[in-house]
């Protein structure tokens, strides 16, 4: 059959004849294609990329390129100490990144559950069991309850067949299947009742069909192609760091060239001024910045992992913190993907049922008051009918075997009691008849037939109702059922009929003159913790959008329960007929999209990104994978999520808890805060060192305050001893009350730029003045004056470090909140004492011992930066408060 013919429109005769003319073997591509049958695993990624690739990509940053260039230049200039330090920083950064991503990869592998299904086929008149990957177009396959469909199959025989397609379409309820050809164009997958799709799960009945597509030609295969075509989006953090790196590169290059030109005009020798210019570049380049950013991200990864959020790559840690929109799948993400009876209607009134999922624990209430179900005969009989007219059963370890609807009826009954009447015979459910009946032994004198099915079918068979056999109004009951359905409930009707004890089988003609018992309304309930999570998202300035393959009515009902604000619902067919411009407008106020295809989801994400949003997408199904990859950050479910969804994602929730996303948002914002604090502290100090070199050239000083080895020492010791502790700073309060930062907001905020200038000028001015005072007035030896300048710069960095604990807030109440910072300061001070007083190091670094009075002066001058910055924060806060009024 050629690809232009729609399988769901083909008659059975056409199906077989066309297949015979197009029977084909499995191609090499299809044989290697794993996505459609048992998922794509991290093992495949390893084979494709290897550990070397994972390590090599840690070097993909403009700032790293600048450092590598600096290392090469210093090597050719025979400044081997500089080369070694810079290379060590680059290598350490790569190792940290590699180790953290490897940990994330291993954690993901521990979650993976590879499915390697087999298929039962009829070949040459014989039934065979073969690996699914060996299926070819034209094979006849058969499957029953519990089996996973091995390929896309056109059904030609079914018996009570129901298939759970939630992983593919997002519809939470199992779909009844039949063999009737379907007319129409572009029929949604969820409405193709005569097709069984690869990787979906049979919950009930038996089906026979002809394989019409395997591998990449299946609906899941098409999704995989869409995943490949989806553009991988760079994270906001990577974009901002790349921008910062380029800016620093241009500025440092310009200043170095300018210094070289000025030095030549001052009469410096070529080599001498070239070395000075390189020293300036090395001083100004924040060598420790990539490593500190990586460490910040790694700590964020570890913290998130402890809260069940496993990050698959480091930059994604921060991305979630800057998310402005979360597009969430409904089934299994916002809801439990477990049908639950919530409402029962009988002749004695309405009853609400508590409890969720397939755990038989809950209570019954009437008009808001908890009641005992044993006090209401109609309620108990309705529950009994649902329990006995049922082919499903509950697993001891949890979950249901069989149809989810029947599982929900079992659980609702067990919340009241367990019912035991021996079954004699049954009429299984058939989609054409829309009811199921079972015959049970009641007592010595009579047997009883229980019937359940669609309200329209059951009510038509009834002539009276339980407890009030004289009054029976079918119209009233149908209206009740319709109202329940309008609230997003799936409604099942129950009835019964007593027969003689000699009856040993139930026939279709027996299913009339029934007594109506009641209606049970069920839904896939929202996860309890999600309501609070969505409230927190709103407080944090994050909009939540539901994108589901389920019915619009169901999606809208769940959205209302969870507090997702929306003006109506848009369906996939409406999206298909809508231009991008029109959909842009709708996205402003519509937050529920139903009956969507993978293409619809990916398109919504793309348009939101075009509007400037940072989009996170959550999901667990195969149908979610393209949107997960397209998003700024894709969040897959670890337990219920398919391997395809996990592979396409950036983050995996190990506990499938949407609420964990909120914790991850807070961690992401904290990571970005810490990165900004690292930059806030590091750039002014590097700028001061660079300015010191440039000032010495401008002033024609042959003995500058800082030697190249001094600069190298400062950068190495302070980056480790003072820079690293910043990332251990406790979270600032109210992170989730801030609105997300604008996606294109630079790391160098205006306040950081102003502080860079203020602190750099203060440091270099004070250091130079102290140096010249010692040289000219105190007649201090050059080595001693340079040692004073070296220690002054370091102590400036120490005092400024405490001010960098917060960008905006005064830190007097949290001055000693970070024990790692205090330990780092102590270590740096001890190292400064070591290089000042150790004779061996004095000879290497050209340093000299200092007097006690020198230390007093150094501390007094260096501490000025702390008081200046804290005063500036206070004045800025007052100014902001005046503007707000």
């Amino acid at each position: 059959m050629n690809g232009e013919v729609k399988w769901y429109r083909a008659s059975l005769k056409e199906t077989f004849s066309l297949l015979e003319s197009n029977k084909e073997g499995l191609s090499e591509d299809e044989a290697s294609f794993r996505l459609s049958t048992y998922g794509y695993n991290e093992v495949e990624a390893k084979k494709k990329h290897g550990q070397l690739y994972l390590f090599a990509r840690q070097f993909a940053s403009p700032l790293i390129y600048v450092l590598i260039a600096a290392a090469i230049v210093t090597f050719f200039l025979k400044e081997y100490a500089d080369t070694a330090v810079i290379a060590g920083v680059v290598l350490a950064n790569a190792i940290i990144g590699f180790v953290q991503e490897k940990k994330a990869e291993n954690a993901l592998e521990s979650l993976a559950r590879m499915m390697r299904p087999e298929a039962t086929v009829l070949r040459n008149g014989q039934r065979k069991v073969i690996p699914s990957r060996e299926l070819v177009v034209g094979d006849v396959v058969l499957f029953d309850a519990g089996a996973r469909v091995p390929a896309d199959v056109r059904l030609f025989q079914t018996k009570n067949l129901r298939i759970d397609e939630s992983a593919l379409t997002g519809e939470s309820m199992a779909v009844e299947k039949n063999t009737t050809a379907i007319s129409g164009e572009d029929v949604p997958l969820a409405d193709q009742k005569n097709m069984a799709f690869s990787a979906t799960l049979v919950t009930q009945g038996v089906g026979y069909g002809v394989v019409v597509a395997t591998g990449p030609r299946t609906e899941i295969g098409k999704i995989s192609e869409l995943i490949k075509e989806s553009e991988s989006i760079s994270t906001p953090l990577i974009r901002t760091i790349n921008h910062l790196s380029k800016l620093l590169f241009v500025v440092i290059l310009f200043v170095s060239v300018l210094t070289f030109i000025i030095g030549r005009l001052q009469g410096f020798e070529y080599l001498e001024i070239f070395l000075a210019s390189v020293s300036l570049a090395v001083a100004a380049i924040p060598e420790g910045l990539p490593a500190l950013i990586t460490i910040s991200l790694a700590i964020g990864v570890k913290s998130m992992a402890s809260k069940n959020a496993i990050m698959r790559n480091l930059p994604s840690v921060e991305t979630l913190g800057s998310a402005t929109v979360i597009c969430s799948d409904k089934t299994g993400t916002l809801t439990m993907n477990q049908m639950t009876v919530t409402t029962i209607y009988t002749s004695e009134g309405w009853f609400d049922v508590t409890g969720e999922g397939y755990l038989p624990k809950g209570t019954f209430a009437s008009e808001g008051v908890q009641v005992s179900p044993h006090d209401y005969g109609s309620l108990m009989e309705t529950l009994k009918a649902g329990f006995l007219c049922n082919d499903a059963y509950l697993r001891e370890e949890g979950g249901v075997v069989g149809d989810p609807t029947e599982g929900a009826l079992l659980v609702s009954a067990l919340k009241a009691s367990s019912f035991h009447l021996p079954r004699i015979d049954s009429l299984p459910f058939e989609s054409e008849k829309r009811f199921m009946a079972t015959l049970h032994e009641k007592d010595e004198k009579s047997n009883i037939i229980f019937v359940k099915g669609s309200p329209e079918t059951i009510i038509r068979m009834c002539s009276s109702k339980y407890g009030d056999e004289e009054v029976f109004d079918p119209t009233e009951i149908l209206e009740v059922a319709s109202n329940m359905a309008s609230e997003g409930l799936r409604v099942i009707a129950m009835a019964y009929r007593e027969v003689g004890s000699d009856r040993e089988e139930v026939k279709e003609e027996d299913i009339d003159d029934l007594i109506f018992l009641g209606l049970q309304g069920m839904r896939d309930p929202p996860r309890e913790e999600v309501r609070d999570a969505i409230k927190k998202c709103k407080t944090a300035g994050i909009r939540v959008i539901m994108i589901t393959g389920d019915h619009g009515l169901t999606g809208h009902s769940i959205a209302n329960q969870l507090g997702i604000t929306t003006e109506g619902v848009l369906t996939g067919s409406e999206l298909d007929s809508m231009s991008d411009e029109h959909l842009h407008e709708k996205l402003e106020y519509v937050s529920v999209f139903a009956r969507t295809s993978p293409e619809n989801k990916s398109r919504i994400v793309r348009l939101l990104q075009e509007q400037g949003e940072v989009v996170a997408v959550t999901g667990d199904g195969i149908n979610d994978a393209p949107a997960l990859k397209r998003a700024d950050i894709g969040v897959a479910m670890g337990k219920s999520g398919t391997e395809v969804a996990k592979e396409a994602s950036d983050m995996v929730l190990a506990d499938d808890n949407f609420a964990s996303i909120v914790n991850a948002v807070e961690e992401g914002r904290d990571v970005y805060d810490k990165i900004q604090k690292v930059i806030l502290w590091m750039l002014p100090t590097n700028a001061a060192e660079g300015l010191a070199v440039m000032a010495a050239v401008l002033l024609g000083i042959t003995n500058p305050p800082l030697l190249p080895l001094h600069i190298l020492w400062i950068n190495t010791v302070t980056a480790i001893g003072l820079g690293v502790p910043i990332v251990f700073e406790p979270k600032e309060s109210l992170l989730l009350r801030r609105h997300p930062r604008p996606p294109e907001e630079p790391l160098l905020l205006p306040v950081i730029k102003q502080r860079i200038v203020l602190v750099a000028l203060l440091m270099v001015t004070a250091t130079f003045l102290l140096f010249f005072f010692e040289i000219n007035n105190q007649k201090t030896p050059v080595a001693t004056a340079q040692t004073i300048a070296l220690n002054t710069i370091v102590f400036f960095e120490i005092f400024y470090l405490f001010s960098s604990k917060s960008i905006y807030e005064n830190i007097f109440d949290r001055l000693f909140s970070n024990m790692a910072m205090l330990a780092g300061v102590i270590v740096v001070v001890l190292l400064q004492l070591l290089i000042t007083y150790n004779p061996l190091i004095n000879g290497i670094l050209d340093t000299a011992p200092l007097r006690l009075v020198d230390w007093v002066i150094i501390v007094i001058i260096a501490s000025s930066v702390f008081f200046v910055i804290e005063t500036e924060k206070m004045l800025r806060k007052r100014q902001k408060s005046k503007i707000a009024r």
Side-chain angles (χ1 to χ4, degrees), residues 701-771:
I701 301 173
T702 54
N703 291 312
L706 295 174
L707 298 174
L709 274 178
H710 294 165
I711 293 172
L712 197 60
W713 170 265
I714 294 171
N715 286 355
T716 304
V717 170
T718 59
I720 297 172
L722 304 181
V724 172
I726 296 177
V727 302
F728 294 99
E729 184 67 20
K731 292 188 191 78
E732 292 195 36
S733 60
L734 308 179
L735 279 174
L736 286 179
R737 293 196 179 181
R738 300 180 191 173
H739 277 260
R741 66 180 182 86
E744 300 307 320
E745 178 185 272
L747 277 167
L748 290 181
L749 296 171
V751 62
I752 295 179
K753 290 178 183 177
Q754 293 165 16
R755 211 160 286 170
I756 288 173
V757 174
L758 176 62
V759 173
L761 289 176
L762 180 61
M763 287 176 67
V764 76
T765 303
T767 303
F768 257 85
L769 289 175
L770 185 56
F771 176 76

Side-chain angles (χ1 to χ4, degrees), residues 676-691:
Q676 281 197 315
K677 289 172 186 176
V678 166
I679 290 170
L680 178 73
W681 172 78
M682 183 168 280
L683 291 192
T685 55
N686 280 85
E689 294 167 18
L691 283 175

Side-chain angles (χ1 to χ4, degrees), residues 344 346 364 373-374 376-390 409-410 412-423 438 440-442 448-452 466 494-496 498 517-518 520:
I344 299 176
T346 73
F364 296 81
H374 298 276
Y376 298 86
S378 62
L379 175 59
M380 290 298 290
E381 290 301 315
T382 300
L383 294 171
K384 183 191 292 183
F387 184 89
L388 296 175
C389 188
N390 200 312
L409 296 175
L410 278 182
S412 68
L414 288 170
K415 290 175 182 177
S417 181
S418 182
F419 302 92
H420 300 284
L421 288 179
R423 181 188 288 194
T438 54
H440 298 266
E441 181 183 324
K442 184 182 179 185
I448 188 170
I449 297 172
F450 287 112
V451 186
K452 78 169 190 301
Y466 183 91
M494 316 287 163
Y496 79 100
E498 291 193 13
L517 288 171
Q520 294 200 49

Side-chain angles (χ1 to χ4, degrees), residues 26-198:
L26 196 67
S27 69
E28 185 177 343
D29 287 342
E30 288 175 318
S32 64
F33 191 80
R34 297 291 179 264
L35 188 59
S36 63
T37 52
Y38 43 82
Y40 190 89
N41 188 269
E42 286 292 297
V43 174
E44 301 295 331
K46 283 183 185 176
K47 291 177 182 176
K48 182 178 179 182
H49 301 302
Q51 304 304 312
L52 184 60
Y53 169 81
L54 189 64
F55 183 72
R57 76 180 186 188
Q58 308 304 321
F59 296 92
S61 165
L63 197 56
I64 296 294
Y65 301 154
V66 172
L67 291 175
I68 292 172
I72 293 170
V73 171
T74 53
F75 177 80
F76 282 109
L77 293 175
K78 298 183 180 181
E79 300 292 333
Y80 300 124
D82 291 10
T83 304
V85 171
I86 296 171
V89 168
V90 171
L91 188 61
N93 174 74
I95 291 172
I96 293 169
F98 174 79
V99 168
Q100 289 301 324
E101 291 199 23
K102 192 73 177 66
K103 283 182 180 178
E105 183 183 90
N106 291 339
L108 196 66
E109 284 178 26
S110 69
L111 287 171
R113 296 291 183 267
M114 285 291 283
M115 297 179 296
R116 299 185 179 273
E118 296 177 322
T120 303
V121 300
L122 292 176
R123 286 182 175 174
N124 301 319
Q126 295 184 339
R127 181 179 296 195
K128 296 181 178 180
V129 177
I130 63 172
S132 295
R133 62 179 177 271
E134 294 180 10
L135 283 173
V136 296
V137 171
D139 271 330
V140 174
V141 298
L142 53 150
F143 35 77
D144 53 14
R148 195 168 293 275
V149 180
D152 282 3
V153 175
R154 170 64 162 89
L155 300 168
F156 63 81
Q157 183 178 335
T158 63
K159 182 70 172 178
N160 308 322
L161 182 62
R162 288 186 173 218
I163 297 180
D164 179 359
E165 298 180 339
S166 58
L168 181 64
T169 66
E171 185 168 3
S172 54
M173 291 180 286
V175 180
E176 298 173 14
K177 294 294 184 177
N178 56 50
T179 60
T180 308
I182 301 170
S183 61
E185 297 290 337
D186 298 321
V187 179
L189 294 182
D191 295 331
Q192 295 181 29
K193 307 295 186 183
N194 58 7
M195 290 289 296
F197 298 107
S198 176

